[in-house]
Amino acid sequence: QVQLVESGGGLVQPGGSLRLSCAASGSIDGISIMGWFRQAPGSQREPVALIVGSESPKYAESAKDRFTIASDNAKNTVSLQMNSLKAEDTAVYYCYILAGARPLWGQGVQVIVSS
């Protein structure tokens, strides 16, 4: 069973930056979507940034102009560069890959934006 392993979370002050990374433990065929979701306390999990096939990345409105997603399908990795972080970005961030009809999730990485 292929697993997604995330890294890069932590505590950062408002206005700071973090880079999240996600790598698969093995090869994955038939990837159609790679991306990141997040879930804040008391809220539902929501998409932050997605790459669908060869299309341009799609961002949640709250992430536009601050976050940048990048992927390497050959290496089965996806990253999320987060700049100008705000307190409302505090959440657990999850890596997501859809391969065929099989959704894969990372274990989640905590991001806390606080002074």
Side-chain angles (χ1 to χ4, degrees):
Q1 177 77 7
V2 175
Q3 294 182 329
L4 303 182
V5 180
E6 298 136 336
S7 60
L11 172 64
V12 64
Q13 292 186 343
S17 297
L18 281 175
R19 185 175 185 272
L20 305 182
S21 298
C22 173
S25 60
S27 65
I28 303 174
D29 295 326
I31 294 175
S32 58
I33 301 175
M34 301 180 80
W36 291 90
F37 285 68
R38 70 185 180 187
Q39 187 168 16
S43 299
Q44 291 187 334
R45 192 173 298 188
E46 61 179 9
V48 176
L50 298 173
I51 299 176
V52 180
S54 58
E55 298 176 4
S56 297
K58 296 176 173 57
Y59 296 93
E61 194 63 36
S62 60
K64 284 181 181 178
D65 301 323
R66 299 189 299 125
F67 294 3
T68 302
I69 187 172
S71 68
D72 186 331
N73 281 26
K75 296 181 179 179
N76 294 334
T77 60
V78 59
S79 64
L80 185 68
Q81 177 67 42
M82 305 187 293
N83 300 327
S84 302
L85 284 161
K86 305 174 182 180
E88 49 264 43
D89 295 317
T90 294
V92 177
Y93 285 71
Y94 296 90
C95 175
Y96 171 81
I97 290 178
L98 182 64
R102 181 169 61 125
L104 300 173
W105 293 95
Q107 80 283 2
V109 60
Q110 179 75 57
V111 171
I112 299 173
V113 185
S114 175
S115 55

